[in-house]
Amino acid sequence: MRLVLGLDPGLAATGWGVIVADGNRLKHIAHGTVKTLPGAPLAERLVALHDGLMAVIGEHGATEAAVEEVFVNANPQSTLKLGQARGVVLLCAARAGLPVAEYATRLVKKALTGVGNADKNQVQAMVERLLPGVKVVGADAADALAVAIAHAHLGASLRRGLL
């Protein structure tokens, strides 16, 4: 049995989701979003992200983490800020002693929906189908749960060096 923390990095909002993976069986534990104040200085936002994630990790006691890789967008400043937020996300997981796996967005979408170009609504619908009874609040949290589910299914392949 594995307790997986999925993380979808973002500076404004970082989604998180915790699931139990027991073989092919999945169970939802919790999900949410760590948000930062848009007008605050970057350093303060990164501290808020750090503190929020460390509280989530402390509360749920995950045994491993899965992080969605960042895609490069047209705006270099946005990409740089997203990269800094992603660095905080990786730091928090590593600081908590969690092994961290990283997955490309297309791979996560393909693992859940069968296609790498699925839209956010398709991903959220599949997350709710795979975790019956769960109503996911927010696209960032849905993406984080998707990363956790993908890791639960793809983790063995990753550990064997097949991905």
Side-chain angles (χ1 to χ4, degrees), residues 59-122:
E59 182 178 343
H60 296 289
T63 56
E64 54 196 271
V67 179
E68 189 169 54
E69 291 178 351
V70 180
F71 63 91
V72 178
N73 57 42
N75 183 336
Q77 280 298 88
S78 296
T79 302
L80 182 59
K81 288 178 182 176
L82 182 57
Q84 291 168 324
R86 186 171 183 277
V88 170
V89 168
L90 293 170
L91 172 69
C92 289
R95 175 65 71 194
L98 304 178
V100 179
E102 301 176 61
Y103 296 95
T105 302
R106 290 183 62 79
L107 182 59
V108 171
K109 289 177 177 183
K110 187 168 184 165
L112 261 73
T113 68
V115 293
N117 61 350
D119 65 31
K120 287 196 175 283
N121 291 333
Q122 290 172 299

Side-chain angles (χ1 to χ4, degrees), residues 11-12 35-49 81 84:
L11 182 59
K35 295 183 179 181
T36 65
L37 296 174
L42 178 61
E44 288 178 22
R45 293 177 81 182
L46 295 175
V47 167
L49 179 58
K81 288 178 182 176
Q84 291 168 324

